[in-house]
Amino acid sequence: MAPQWLTPQVQLQFVADPVNPLAYNSCKNRHCPKCQGPAARDWMDARAEDLLPVEYFHVVITMPAEIAQITYWNKKEVCGLLFKASAETVMTIAAGSPMRPLG
């Protein structure tokens, strides 16, 4: 049952207010589009201003689980090798062939 002060006129006033609309049962979950949607959009807009005006490519380099176990004990050596091999691979792919351009 609604509180006594929440008359139809008051409800209409709350619903009609575009600046402070009602949001019942706000869960505050960071994944909830109702609760965190505006904050997420603001964050995305701020990050978009930081980007350079060039195309970006997202590259993921993975390693087998057996090597990942070795990496735990030899982080500096294995990660150095991984980054070197990854850089060589990306540079080779990016260089492409004049007959078959990347993209």
Side-chain angles (χ1 to χ4, degrees):
M1 186 167 160
Q4 290 182 341
W5 61 267
L6 195 56
T7 65
Q9 292 82 11
V10 172
Q11 288 178 351
L12 182 60
Q13 178 184 356
F14 282 137
V15 172
D17 184 3
V19 176
N20 298 309
L22 288 181
Y24 292 107
N25 301 324
S26 180
C27 67
K28 304 289 187 205
N29 184 316
R30 69 185 183 107
H31 302 292
C32 176
K34 179 181 175 187
C35 298
Q36 300 301 325
R41 283 188 293 279
D42 292 344
W43 184 86
M44 288 294 293
D45 291 341
R47 297 297 69 78
E49 293 173 3
D50 296 338
L51 296 176
L52 296 173
V54 297
E55 288 190 37
Y56 284 85
F57 294 94
H58 180 83
V59 178
V60 177
I61 306 292
T62 60
M63 66 175 75
E66 297 80 16
I67 297 175
Q69 291 174 353
I70 296 169
T71 304
Y72 183 77
W73 300 107
N74 301 296
K75 289 181 179 79
K76 186 174 182 179
E77 292 80 13
V78 176
C79 287
L81 290 170
L82 174 67
F83 289 131
K84 182 178 179 186
S86 301
E88 289 175 3
T89 302
V90 170
M91 295 298 284
T92 301
I93 293 170
S97 166
M99 301 300 288
R100 189 178 53 155
L102 184 65

